[in-house]
Structures are given as structure tokens and as C-alpha cells.
Amino acid sequence: AQKITQTQPGMFVQEKEAVTLDCTYDTSDQSYGLFWYKQPSSGEMIFLIYQGSYDEQNATEGRYSLNFQKARKSANLVISASQLGDSAMYFCAMRERDAGNNRKLIWGLGTSLAVNP
Amino acid sequence: GAVVSQHPSRVICKSGTSVKIECRSLDFQATTMFWYRQFPKQSLMLMATSNEGSKATYEQGVEKDKFLINHASLTLSTLTVTSAHPEDSSFYICSARDLAGSYNSPLHFGNGTRLTVT
């Protein structure tokens, strides 16, 4: 079963507008972490923002914020004031412990964001 | 910030040859590095977890004799694709966890290697 679900394969947004990328997760752990990464067409993975399961405040990093709704198991990424350089793939990932007690990242399928001028 | 250097960025090789990909943490030490494979327009697929000084842990379905991983130091892990075939053509990307980091610390990624086997 998919543990990280990103329901939007592709999204469009007008430059300077805000956009929300959806991410829902499934875990039985009490302690877990949620990450968002950006992957431009060049391929590198760029860390954007982190939310811990025990964090009471929604994480923010510059134009990025995470709308964390623990009861709904969602961790949506909000990008404010979109820029052309924001066009990329965005991946949601969850860190949890596997059966061997190793910490691993579970990845969503990604959302392709295109920012229109 | 933490930098992971991955080389080469692109490689084209002939079928049957072996290719080595290096992943170095430049300004931090990493006891654990992860190797991923990514097909076009798809997510990252974890291939193996590389632990310094011990054998790598491979994910189910990944051939350990095909994808040799060595993590000889706290700053270097290598992935060798042995006897490469066209179906091994893919984007390979490594990531590293800072030894000094906390549970909250993100993984630091290399820029990836695009392998094409002809």
C-alpha cells in the first residue's frame, strides 16, 4: 500500500500566485518526519522543508510553508509568490523506521509544477 | 551547507562493461549513504543502504552482485554497476546522512549520474 500519496501528477500556477501541493501519508508510528524536496530538470534533489510529527507549529522556510494536519495525515506544501524557477518536480517523503529499526525515507510519486509567466 | 559530490554526472558505456559511480560527502562525515535509482518521470527507488565499514543492505529485488556497493570511509561510497546492460540505463542518485545530524536532519543528495548503456 502506498504510504505517501501525492494526488496531483501535474500542477500549473501563474507567476506570483500561491500554490498548494498535496501530500497525505500513512503510518502507525508515533514518531516520524515529513520532508519536501524539489527536483529541477537538472536532476539534483533540493531539500525544502521538514515537519516533525511532534512539532506543534507548521514549518516555514522563506516562501515555503507546510500545512500539517496530523489528524488527517496530510502535509501539504504551500509555495507563496511563485517564481519561474519554481518549475520542477516536488516530492513528499516520510521518514520512518522499517522492520529492522532502520530509518528510511518513503517517497511519494511527485508533482510536476509549472509556473506560467 | 552540506555538500555531496557525485561523479560522474553522465556516463555512456558499452553493454558488458562495468561502471563505477562515486558519492562523496565534502564537508561532513556520513556513516550512512543511500543509493537510489530513478526512471524518467518517476519517483526515487531505494536500491541499498550503504554503511561505513560494513556490508550494504539491499532492498528486495535489487541484485547485490549486479550493483556492488562499497563504503570504505566516512566520506566515500561507491556503486559499481557490473556487466551493465541497456536495461540498467537510468538515473542513479546518492544521498548521505550527516553523522553529526539529528533525527530531523534532511538527507543531502548528490547531483545524480545519468547512465546510458549501449
Side-chain angles (χ1 to χ4, degrees):
Chain A
Q2 187 70 31
K3 288 201 164 191
I4 295 285
T5 303
Q6 294 181 252
T7 58
Q8 307 149 315
M11 288 280 287
F12 293 92
V13 65
Q14 207 63 29
E15 191 178 8
K16 299 181 184 178
E17 292 185 351
V19 62
T20 298
L21 306 184
D22 294 341
C23 174
T24 57
Y25 59 92
D26 181 28
T27 183
S28 56
D29 285 355
Q30 297 300 310
S31 177
Y32 53 89
L34 297 156
F35 298 81
W36 277 91
Y37 283 85
K38 171 185 177 182
Q39 187 179 37
S41 57
S42 50
E44 72 268 31
M45 295 291 286
I46 302 167
F47 166 70
L48 297 178
I49 197 166
Y50 168 83
Q51 180 84 42
S53 57
Y54 293 119
D55 295 340
E56 295 183 354
Q57 302 285 336
N58 284 344
T60 61
E61 288 287 347
R63 294 187 299 112
Y64 304 108
S65 61
L66 204 151
N67 184 1
F68 182 47
Q69 299 188 40
K70 194 170 182 177
R72 294 184 179 183
K73 293 187 175 179
S74 74
N76 299 338
L77 176 70
V78 180
I79 304 175
S80 62
S82 298
Q83 301 172 356
L84 296 179
D86 293 335
S87 295
M89 282 291 290
Y90 289 81
F91 291 98
C92 179
M94 175 175 65
R95 175 180 284 164
E96 65 169 12
R97 293 184 185 273
D98 65 10
N101 207 33
N102 299 306
R103 284 179 283 151
K104 290 182 179 177
L105 279 184
I106 312 297
W107 295 87
L109 296 179
T111 295
S112 177
L113 176 66
V115 180
N116 298 323
Chain B
V3 177
V4 174
S5 174
Q6 185 174 342
H7 288 284
S9 58
R10 288 181 180 272
V11 59
I12 300 173
C13 70
K14 291 188 176 180
S15 188
T17 60
S18 296
V19 172
K20 180 185 283 188
I21 303 170
E22 289 190 350
C23 181
R24 292 180 184 272
S25 55
L26 296 186
D27 49 3
F28 66 98
Q29 293 183 322
T31 54
T32 304
M33 291 186 176
F34 301 90
W35 287 96
Y36 294 90
R37 181 173 181 175
Q38 187 179 30
F39 292 102
K41 300 191 186 300
Q42 293 191 23
S43 190
L44 282 76
M45 181 189 78
L46 180 64
M47 299 175 65
T49 302
S50 168
N51 297 299
E52 186 268 336
S54 64
K55 290 184 179 180
T57 303
Y58 289 82
E59 295 300 303
Q60 193 172 10
V62 178
E63 300 175 58
K64 57 183 68 176
D65 294 331
K66 172 80 172 172
F67 299 99
L68 299 178
I69 290 173
N70 183 276
H71 193 155
S73 76
L74 286 173
T75 59
L76 174 64
S77 176
T78 60
L79 167 68
T80 301
V81 183
T82 62
S83 187
H85 287 93
E87 57 265 30
D88 298 324
S89 298
S90 191
F91 187 67
Y92 295 87
I93 190 165
C94 71
S95 66
R97 175 174 294 142
D98 190 341
L99 177 63
S102 68
Y103 177 81
N104 303 342
S105 301
L107 292 180
H108 307 291
F109 282 83
N111 285 349
T113 297
R114 192 160 303 280
L115 170 64
T116 303
V117 184
T118 61

